[in-house]
Amino acid sequence: MTFKELHLVEPILKALDDQGYTTPTPIQEQSIPILLRGKDLLGCAQTGTGKTAAFSIPILQNIFLDKERNIRNRKVKALIVTPTRELAIQIYDNFEAYAKYTNIKSTVIFGGVKQGKQTDALRRGVDVLVATPGRLLDLISQGFITLRDIDYLVLDEADQMLDMGFIHDIKKIIAKLPVRRQSLFFSATMPPAIVKLSRQILGEFDTVTIKPKQATAERVEQAIYFVNKRNKIKLLKHLILTKEVSSTLVFSRTKHGADKIVKLLRRDEIYAEAIHGNKSQNARQRALSNFKKGKTTVLVATDIAARGIDVSDLELVVNYDLPNVPETYVHRIGRTGRASASGEAVSFCNMEERAFLKSIQRLIR
């Protein structure tokens, strides 16, 4: 199947062609027709399979075809809520790319920065708003945003929003929305809590679950090193220097740990930067930009900050600390081997992490 066979309008097809997209992924192929019909949807597919395009393309098409839309007095018609700043920016970039040949306007809002530029964009009028929960509620309370005209709601990475304690914010946001709307839940995992919440918020909904042939990306080569805690940094330096890869993403369990890894790498003139919740928004965006441009070859991240890191041709992922939630392992190594690319994931495991390793092995078989 091609995108053309999904009956998309010419401006969107042209934008997809610019991006080099011709064939939809399974989550896109199954979700787009459902969403174009106006149904609510609960969608689940692993990281790196194109969930953002699966919801953004039909939303843009539906807004584009809305003949009554008054572009001189734009109202927010679509709201996409996501847990992290990085992911919000990534989703916004996708909406901008796919709407390139339409007159649909988008903006993104998130905390950690001054609100001036964000409120200026809102005053000029937007059709699509991508937001993190805290800043969204803040600007609603200040009167900069109203949700009364929303036709489309997307909760992206819904599992992470629950894990990060956003459930109360989500319920406040839902309460401000019109009853008549199209609602979409998208996530890489679908724990029972998400299913329960979706039944409370979604109307009569369809479910699309794309089960991979294996739990982790097929083109990712995986390896494990058993190493004591003290020697982890020596092993990391050795791998970076001997593998000679141009991009390495290292996962640390804690913010303090991420900063410490960067400090120790720099001692050996390996230029690394860290990205985590204690960094300012500008510092996080600068580090991510440097990594994408190849100015920095090693990026050290915590799990929360890593949502939204979408770097093409990422060669190596290193689990410096094994995650205690096995699904998180799948998310982490899904940063490499995206789309049709191949990649490598290496994990370090000390004695205290053996139980985490067993849980991961059970999940990925």
Side-chain angles (χ1 to χ4, degrees), residues 59 71 241 246 287:
I59 286 174
I71 64 171
L241 294 172
S246 59

Side-chain angles (χ1 to χ4, degrees), residues 260-279:
K260 187 175 180 181
I261 292 166
V262 167
K263 184 179 178 183
L264 293 172
L265 288 176
R266 287 186 175 186
R267 278 185 189 173
D268 281 10
E269 297 183 352
I270 298 170
Y271 191 72
E273 291 187 88
I275 182 170
H276 55 66
N278 283 357
K279 299 278 185 182

Side-chain angles (χ1 to χ4, degrees), residues 49-90:
T49 55
K51 292 191 297 295
T52 303
F55 63 74
S56 57
I57 291 169
I59 286 174
L60 287 169
Q61 170 131 330
N62 288 335
I63 293 175
F64 181 81
L65 294 174
D66 181 4
K67 298 288 192 291
E68 296 178 4
R69 191 167 60 90
N70 182 354
I71 64 171
R72 292 183 180 177
N73 183 25
R74 295 181 192 272
K75 296 175 180 177
V76 181
K77 290 293 184 181
L79 172 65
I80 296 85
V81 183
T82 195
T84 68
R85 297 174 275 195
E86 288 74 22
L87 192 55
I89 292 166
Q90 181 188 314

Side-chain angles (χ1 to χ4, degrees), residues 46 53 58 75 88 105 110 113 124 129 142 169 178 184 186 202 205 212 235-236 255 270 296 306 335 339 350:
Q46 74 184 108
K75 296 175 180 177
K105 298 295 182 186
F110 44 79
V113 295
R124 289 193 293 271
L129 177 62
Q142 293 182 51
D169 284 351
L184 295 61
F186 273 89
L202 299 176
F205 65 92
L235 178 57
L236 178 61
K255 302 166 191 174
I270 298 170
T296 304
R335 299 292 121 200
N350 62 29

Side-chain angles (χ1 to χ4, degrees), residues 45 69 143-144 182 189 277 328:
R69 191 167 60 90
F144 288 108
Q182 186 178 22
T189 62
T328 300

